Structure formats: C-alpha cells, structure tokens
Amino acid sequence: MLDRPRPLTMSDRWSRFVPLTGVIFVALLVTTNVLFGSAPESGDSAAKVIAFYQAHRTKIEISSYLTGLSLFFGLFFYACLRDYLRRAKAGERLAGTAFGGAVLFAVGGGISAGLQFALADVPSKLSPAAAQALNLLENDMTVFALTAGVAVLLMASGIAILRTRLLPIWLGWIAIVIAIVGLTPVGFFAFLAAGLWTLVASILVYTRRDAATLAPRGD
C-alpha cells in the first residue's frame, strides 16, 4: 500500500518561496542605486561632498537602509542556491565557495552603506578633512571586497552548474564569463550583469526546486 504524501505545513509553504528572495534582493539594489544617484568622486573637494550629502540627505539615508535590507535577502537567496547546488556531490565544495563569495560581497556592501549613512547623518557638522576622508573610503575602501566577492560567487556557481547540471548549462557559462569580466578594468559592467544573472537564477531555482527535492542526491 502506497504511503500518502505528507501534508504541507505552513513552514513548507513559506520555504517554497525562499528562492524568490533573489528577486527581492535585485529589486532593492536597483532601488538603492536610483535613490543614491551619482555620488561625489574620490578627488572632489570637501565643499562639494558636504553640499551633495546635505542636498540628498534623506534619500541617501533611505538608500543605505535599503542596501542593508537587500543584503539580508541576498544572503538568504545565495544560501538557498548553495543548498540547491549541493544536492549533487560534485557541487558541494563549489557551492560552499560560492556562498563565501556572497558573504564577502555582503561585508563590502554593508561597509559601503555604513559610510554613506555616516556622510548623510550630519553633513553640516563634518569638518572638510572628515568629509573628504569618508568620501574617499566610500569610493575606494570596499571595491576589492565587492569585486572579489562577485567574482568568487559567480565563478564557483558557474563551475558547479556545469558539473551538476542542476541548472541550465548556459547559466553556468554566463556566470563564468561575468566573473572573468569582473576582474578586468571594466568590472563595473559585471555588477550589472551579476544582478541580471541573480534574477534569472532566482526564478529558475524557484521553478525547479520542488522537482529537485523529490530527486535522490547524486553520487
């Protein structure tokens, strides 16, 4: 006699939507970038830096908060992606490495958001030297953490996809290409492409996760 399937609990129903945290992550990041706009560059004068953060104080504070919120959802998605790719033994170590890249990216993003909030909190009370120093740190301090984090995340995820075939092969190749581009002088475009990749991966994991849950773990 066949066993009846276990009824879905409230926890099961909610867990089905965890992969869609990737969509929320990307949507929030886009919103933060629209709100923040074009920030002063590293070599701009203190007067320009202070004037910018005074004029856009509220928007930047909201943007900083949304950045932190986006990283919260992003880590949930990349943890979900890690668990999904670990269903095949060939993807176990690579999936863990990919999540390490996501954590590094989140650390860089969190520090950057904190520096932006510090500049926008009381810009009128910042000394010229403090304003320039914080602006320089905001522009340059986290660039390597963000770049390396995205590159590790996508390179490891791409190779894991190629080895496990749990997601389309083309998605794995695209991840590898974006990771390589991210390590070049035109790496800024890799951040944009990484967001689109995450959006697609989020939807694909959501649509395939139930089938993967029923499948046996690979050798």
Side-chain angles (χ1 to χ4, degrees):
M1 185 174 179
L2 295 175
D3 293 333
R4 292 183 179 180
R6 180 178 63 86
L8 290 177
T9 65
M10 182 65 71
S11 176
D12 293 329
R13 293 190 181 95
W14 279 110
S15 67
R16 286 192 63 231
F17 296 100
V18 172
L20 293 180
T21 52
V23 176
I24 301 173
F25 165 65
V26 174
L28 287 172
L29 274 188
V30 170
T31 303
T32 60
N33 280 280
V34 171
L35 283 173
F36 190 74
S38 181
E41 296 181 359
S42 300
D44 286 342
S45 67
K48 184 174 181 179
V49 172
I50 293 172
F52 173 82
Y53 283 95
Q54 280 183 323
H56 304 285
R57 179 181 177 184
T58 301
K59 288 198 302 182
I60 293 171
E61 288 180 337
I62 295 173
S63 173
S64 300
Y65 171 76
L66 291 179
T67 296
L69 194 60
S70 73
L71 296 174
F72 169 83
F73 285 105
L75 286 176
F76 264 94
F77 168 68
Y78 292 121
C80 177
L81 179 63
R82 175 198 61 190
D83 291 345
Y84 182 81
L85 293 176
R86 288 177 64 185
R87 297 195 63 80
K89 189 174 181 179
E92 283 185 341
R93 292 184 179 178
L94 288 165
T97 301
F99 185 68
V103 171
L104 180 59
F105 172 82
V107 170
I111 293 173
S112 181
L115 290 169
Q116 292 169 9
F117 191 87
L119 280 160
D121 190 19
V122 282
S124 61
K125 295 185 178 180
L126 289 174
S127 68
Q132 282 188 309
L134 286 172
N135 185 59
L136 180 63
L137 290 173
E138 196 282 319
N139 277 288
D140 299 339
M141 182 179 181
T142 60
V143 63
F144 293 109
L146 295 171
T147 301
V150 170
V152 170
L153 165 64
L154 292 180
M155 181 64 73
S157 294
I159 297 173
I161 290 170
L162 295 181
R163 293 184 64 181
T164 64
R165 302 297 200 268
L166 289 172
L167 289 170
I169 295 176
W170 55 263
L171 189 69
W173 282 117
I174 290 174
I176 293 172
V177 171
I178 297 172
I180 293 172
V181 172
L183 296 174
T184 68
V186 293
F188 170 76
F189 296 101
F191 285 99
L192 302 177
L196 292 175
W197 186 90
T198 297
L199 190 65
V200 174
S202 177
I203 295 170
L204 287 174
V205 173
Y206 171 72
T207 57
R208 295 176 176 222
R209 195 181 185 207
D210 287 344
T213 301
L214 297 175
R217 185 182 176 91
D219 294 329

